[in-house]
């Protein structure tokens, strides 16, 4: 899905109507229907609903949702924060429909005094859920006067608030706005806006509803805006397997990883690869850590690599020939988790990317091997090179400070991907995926509970598994892996909490995350289903 500005969204709506794809009222009906469905899905037991509407089309969306919620047996009160003369043309028509239906209680609130009237305060105080349809993407900033008072009143409520399009007071084109309504969920339409993609306050249940706008118009108007990858973008039948499947059809991942004291990293990468659907997984690791990796799960195959010290404590260039032979019959090579930073290990990593031609995933210490030597990455022979750095590793690769990396995540990742002919997955809040051709995607899943050792190792294994299963669609494999990784973390969060969630909890949630992605291919796409902060 494209990420849009407010102006682009207005232009898309205009072209949709003028091009005869839909009428303005049909768009409003579709939007209100999506809001109604989302409320019923998120809060099925709610009986009393208060809908706070403004004078524009955002308020009209709310009034449509109010009318439809009464058809589902809900007791709905509409608080219209405008005089009838102030309503937009479409909002006026929508008001006439809901007024004639007579199914909702409607209160006109034209001043701050109206907010204090007993009927208004009772409707808000007794509501099981509140719809915020006051202001949308057409808001002119700063918000002043009466609407500031309405926003302040909404801030005081204890009931969950579902925002229509955006929380009132939020700027669609900005990342942060402290004056916005503190919504519990958001339902937006056609495509996410910049606020949905970037705001630190947007990590809450967010639905993106298709309301009749052609995808071709979105692409035409969006221009160079980045994409927000969602389950909606998943290719049809991406996870489907034929009845005559066998393990040989789904890739054999080779993971070169581990060193003394860091046996968990290759083990978690391998298990994550298996949970993500890899047919076979082999871990090549130093002899000193092999028994621990092998004991982690019986499905993991292992190969010992020679190195210095008793039984080999870390790998060196002495293992190059062994790894080259192992890679001959593998689908993908992942290098890095727990590998260690010995100079001899770095030399091995340099040699591997210069010689191995199958897809390669580099993470952790394999990335650190190129600190101050990133030009060596240009020598890679692989069909595809995927780097998965966190901001610290990106800093070491580029020579920039971590602050500079974080200040321009998209720009840093995009430039590096183009210059080194690789795919960069810059991890962190709203992981950035940059491709060598300049394409840029943002991932919406994930949460602070994933800030634990081992979650990056899980991503490495998952990436190897997906590339091995989908060699002809590597772009979708990379994007799906990042989304799936964050989604698994989101599914694990309610069970273990931000503090208690472990990387192994995330790995255990991968199968459910895959099922969830398959089930999300509908008219409404959820960026989140549970709050992540």
């Amino acid at each position: 899905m494209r990420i849009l500005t407010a102006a682009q969204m207005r232009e898309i709506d205009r072209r949709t109507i003028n091009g005869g794809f839909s009428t303005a009222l049909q768009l409003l009906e579709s939007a209100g229907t999506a809001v109604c469905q989302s409320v019923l899905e998120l809060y099925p037991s709610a009986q009393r609903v208060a809908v706070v509407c403004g004078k524009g089309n955002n308020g009209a969306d709310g009034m449509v949702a109010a009318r439809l919620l009464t058809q589902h047996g809900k007791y709905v009160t509409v608080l219209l924060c405008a005089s009838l003369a102030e309503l937009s043309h479409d909002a006026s028509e929508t008001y006439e429909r809901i007024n004639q239906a007579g199914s909702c209680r409607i209160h006109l609130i034209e001043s701050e005094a109206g907010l204090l009237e007993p009927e208004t305060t009772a409707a808000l105080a007794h509501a099981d859920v509140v719809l915020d349809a006051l202001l949308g993407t057409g808001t002119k900033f700063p918000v002043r006067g009466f609407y500031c008072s309405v926003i302040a009143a909404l801030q005081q409520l204890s009931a969950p608030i579902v925002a229509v399009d955006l929380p009132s007071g939020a700027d669609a084109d900005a990342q942060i706005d402290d004056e916005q309504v503190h919504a519990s969920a958001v339902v937006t339409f056609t495509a996410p806006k910049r606020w949905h993609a970037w705001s630190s306050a947007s990590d809450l249940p967010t639905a993106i509803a298709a309301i009749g706008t052609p995808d071709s118009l979105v692409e035409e108007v969006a221009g160079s805006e980045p994409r927000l990858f969602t389950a909606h973008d998943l290719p049809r039948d991406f996870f489907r397997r034929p009845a005559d499947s066998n393990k040989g059809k789904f890739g054999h991942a080779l993971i070169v990883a581990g060193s003394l004291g860091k046996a968990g990293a290759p083990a978690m990468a391998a298990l994550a690869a298996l949970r993500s659907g890899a047919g076979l997984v082999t871990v090549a690791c130093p002899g000193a850590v092999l028994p621990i990796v092998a004991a982690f799960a019986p499905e993991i195959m292992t190969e010992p690599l020679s190195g210095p010290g008793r039984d080999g404590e870390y790998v060196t260039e002495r293992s190059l020939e062994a790894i080259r032979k192992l890679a001959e019959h593998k689908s993908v090579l992942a290098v890095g988790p727990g590998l260690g930073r010995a100079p001899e290990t770095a030399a091995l990593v340099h040699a591997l990317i210069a010689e191995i031609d199958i897809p390669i995933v580099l993470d952790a210490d394999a990335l650190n091997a190129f600190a101050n030597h990133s030009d060596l990455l240009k020598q890679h022979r692989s069909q595809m090179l995927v780097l998965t750095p966190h901001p610290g590793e990106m800093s070491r690769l580029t020579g920039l400070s971590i602050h500079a990396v974080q200040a321009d995540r998209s720009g840093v990742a995009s430039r590096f991907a183009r210059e080194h002919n690789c795919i960069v997955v810059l991890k962190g809040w709203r992981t950035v995926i940059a491709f060598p051709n300049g394409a840029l995607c943002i991932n919406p899943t994930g949460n602070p509970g994933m800030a634990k050792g081992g979650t990056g190792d899980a991503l490495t294994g998952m990436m190897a598994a997906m590339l091995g299963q989908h060699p002809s669609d590597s772009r979708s494999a990379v994007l799906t892996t990042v989304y799936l990784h964050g989604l698994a973390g989101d599914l694990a969060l309610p069970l273990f909490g931000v503090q208690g969630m472990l990387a192994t909890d995330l790995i255990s949630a991968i199968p459910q995350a895959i099922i969830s992605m398959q089930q999300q291919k509908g008219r409404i796409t959820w960026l989140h289903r549970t709050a992540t902060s």
Side-chain angles (χ1 to χ4, degrees), residues 234 239 241 268 270-278 299 458 462 465-466 469 480-481 483-492 495-496 503-520:
L234 190 69
F239 289 112
R241 293 189 168 184
M268 286 187 288
L271 186 58
L274 288 166
R275 287 291 188 190
S276 301
E299 296 89 350
M462 296 172 70
M466 287 297 173
Q469 291 172 81
T480 299
T481 299
Y483 185 93
L484 189 66
H485 180 254
L487 181 59
D490 290 343
L491 291 174
L495 300 176
F496 302 99
T504 47
D505 300 325
L506 181 154
I507 293 169
S508 296
I510 292 172
Q512 185 57 45
I514 292 174
I515 294 171
S516 178
M517 282 195 77
Q518 291 173 293
Q519 293 174 342
Q520 287 184 43

Side-chain angles (χ1 to χ4, degrees), residues 405-422:
V405 170
Q406 292 294 77
D408 185 22
R409 287 170 55 80
S410 296
V412 170
S414 186
R415 286 190 294 273
F416 199 92
R418 288 196 303 268
E419 292 170 5
H420 296 82
N421 190 32
C422 63

Side-chain angles (χ1 to χ4, degrees), residues 4 15-16 31 38 55 116 137 166 181 189 214 241 243 247 255 316 471 482 492:
L4 303 176
R15 293 194 193 185
T16 298
S38 298
K55 62 185 179 181
L116 302 176
T137 56
L166 290 164
V181 168
F189 315 112
R241 293 189 168 184
K247 61 188 177 185
I255 299 175
T316 71
V482 178

Side-chain angles (χ1 to χ4, degrees), residues 47-53 62-63 65-67 69-70 74-80 98 103-109 118-127 129-131:
Q47 292 301 311
R48 293 179 175 269
V49 182
V51 185
V52 181
C53 298
M63 284 187 275
R67 189 187 78 240
L69 284 167
T70 62
K74 308 300 181 182
Y75 183 84
V76 182
T77 302
V78 174
L79 306 175
L80 182 55
I98 193 174
S103 54
C104 301
R105 296 175 64 86
I106 303 176
H107 298 303
L108 293 179
I109 306 172
E119 287 183 313
T120 302
T121 56
L124 292 173
H126 297 148
V129 63
V130 175
L131 293 190

Side-chain angles (χ1 to χ4, degrees), residues 38 74 145 163 208 211 215-216 370 409 463:
S38 298
K74 308 300 181 182
I208 302 174
I211 60 172
D215 290 341
S216 59
F370 294 96
R409 287 170 55 80
M463 189 70 71

